[in-house]
Amino acid sequence: QVQLVESGGGLVQAGGSLRLSCAASGRFLSIRAMGWYRQAPGKQRELVATITNGGSTNHADSVKGRFTISRDNAKNTVYLQMNSLKPEDTAVYYCNVEARLLFGTNSYWGQGTQVTVSS
């Protein structure tokens, strides 16, 4: 099994910054893609950004130029640097990792961390 521990959420004023972290631990051979998703009240979960194990990134149009995803492969940790935050960024943020196991690959979700941006 793979455990994900998220941290870094909180309350911030519009224009401020936050940095989310998600560390993976457990029994796996390697971590492949890692990503961040978010879900606002009454809305579906949406992609924020993803990063491959080679470092290729993809950011949603709504966060391009403001958010940056990165990872530390030695620590099996993915980060999301969020700058110029807007009230519409308010949501629960979830990390997702694709772990290569002995007999296949599975996707795992973090518990979620609340990000609230006040106007």
Side-chain angles (χ1 to χ4, degrees), residues 22-66:
C22 174
S25 63
R27 299 175 66 86
F28 52 85
L29 298 179
S30 63
I31 298 293
R32 299 176 65 177
M34 307 179 88
W36 289 97
Y37 294 74
R38 66 186 181 186
Q39 187 166 17
K43 295 188 176 181
Q44 289 189 331
R45 190 173 297 187
E46 63 176 4
L47 171 75
V48 176
T50 60
I51 184 167
T52 68
N53 54 2
S56 297
T57 63
N58 176 51
H59 294 79
D61 288 344
S62 59
V63 305
K64 279 181 181 176
R66 301 188 299 121

Side-chain angles (χ1 to χ4, degrees), residues 38 40 43 46 62 66 85-91 93 117:
R38 66 186 181 186
K43 295 188 176 181
E46 63 176 4
S62 59
R66 301 188 299 121
L85 282 159
K86 304 176 180 179
E88 49 265 43
D89 295 318
T90 295
Y93 284 69
V117 184

Side-chain angles (χ1 to χ4, degrees), residues 1 27-30 32 99-108:
Q1 288 293 335
R27 299 175 66 86
F28 52 85
L29 298 179
S30 63
R32 299 176 65 177
R100 182 166 169 257
L101 310 176
L102 189 60
F103 298 110
T105 300
N106 273 352
S107 177
Y108 297 88

